Amino acid sequence: SSRRRHTRYWRDWSSDVCSSDLDAAQIKSLLALQLGTPWEQRSIDAAIAQVESGYHALGYLDVRIVDRPVRPGPGANIDLQLQITEGPLSTVGQINIRGNVVTRDKVIRRELDLRPGRPFDKTGIQEAERRLDNLRHFSEVRVQIEPPKPDQPGVRDLLVFVRERSEEHTSELQSRQYL
């Protein structure tokens, strides 16, 4: 006997969000899903990742989004229901730099768009890594968000770890006064 494939079609979406900085139109724009197209979980997951990035840019580092397909009735249509838990709005705490021996902290700090006391834009972390890497001073660059402190749940410290290139390369940079 042959199996029949049943294609499910994306029909609509709804969200359940408490105290959101993103309104329904902004979330819909970030989802960027075409209504009436076949339901593909891979596409849904990618769309939800875009919504998470939108929240990360606003400082909601711990946002959680749970998706649930809902059948509104008989037929092949499916609605997407999102349950969004924003978590606390985070601000940047201390920026700790480790691993630099020759390179001054201020050289590293000027490549960061993140500043203590400002809302935390998680998308700035990849940009900071890219900028530090482009300096060509380091063989390794890692920028990571530290876990929240119990006494300051809305403040998150940042750890910037670098490994400087060989002494030969560093001496050349020093002679050009890059460090």
Side-chain angles (χ1 to χ4, degrees):
S1 80
S2 65
R3 282 188 168 184
R4 292 178 69 189
R5 284 194 164 172
H6 295 284
T7 303
R8 305 276 183 234
Y9 293 94
W10 162 257
R11 190 183 76 99
D12 203 358
W13 75 281
S14 65
S15 65
D16 178 16
V17 189
C18 296
S19 68
S20 179
D21 279 342
L22 293 177
D23 64 25
Q26 291 168 315
I27 293 171
K28 184 176 182 177
S29 171
L30 289 168
L31 279 172
L33 293 169
Q34 294 291 338
L35 300 181
T37 58
W39 178 282
E40 294 177 357
Q41 191 61 45
R42 207 173 47 238
S43 299
I44 301 295
D45 292 343
I48 289 170
Q50 287 295 346
V51 175
E52 285 178 343
S53 289
Y55 276 99
H56 291 160
L58 294 172
Y60 292 99
L61 303 182
D62 300 315
V63 66
R64 297 288 174 257
I65 302 176
V66 177
D67 64 298
R68 195 181 91 174
V70 177
R71 291 186 63 142
N77 292 330
I78 297 180
D79 290 351
L80 173 65
Q81 184 178 52
L82 300 178
Q83 181 179 9
I84 302 172
T85 307
E86 293 175 336
L89 183 63
S90 297
T91 56
V92 179
Q94 294 180 341
I95 298 176
N96 302 305
I97 300 171
R98 302 282 183 267
N100 56 322
V101 177
V102 178
T103 308
R104 296 183 191 138
D105 281 5
K106 71 178 186 176
V107 171
I108 295 170
R109 287 183 197 283
R110 76 173 176 226
E111 299 303 319
L112 306 175
D113 285 335
L114 303 163
R115 301 280 183 263
R118 288 194 187 162
F120 214 122
D121 178 354
K122 191 174 182 180
T123 58
I125 291 177
Q126 288 137 346
E127 179 64 17
E129 287 177 337
R130 188 189 63 74
R131 289 167 117 182
L132 288 168
D133 214 32
N134 285 345
L135 289 176
R136 319 252 334 126
H137 296 193
F138 312 109
S139 61
E140 182 180 354
V141 174
R142 280 193 326 257
V143 180
Q144 64 188 47
I145 302 168
E146 296 294 324
K149 297 175 186 170
D151 58 330
Q152 293 180 306
V155 178
R156 302 288 282 274
D157 293 343
L158 191 67
L159 174 63
V160 179
F161 174 80
V162 296
R163 178 168 290 137
E164 293 174 321
R165 292 195 184 271
S166 68
E167 289 180 30
E168 196 175 284
H169 180 74
T170 305
S171 297
E172 179 187 332
L173 291 172
Q174 272 184 314
S175 70
R176 293 183 188 171
Q177 300 179 348
Y178 286 126
L179 306 177

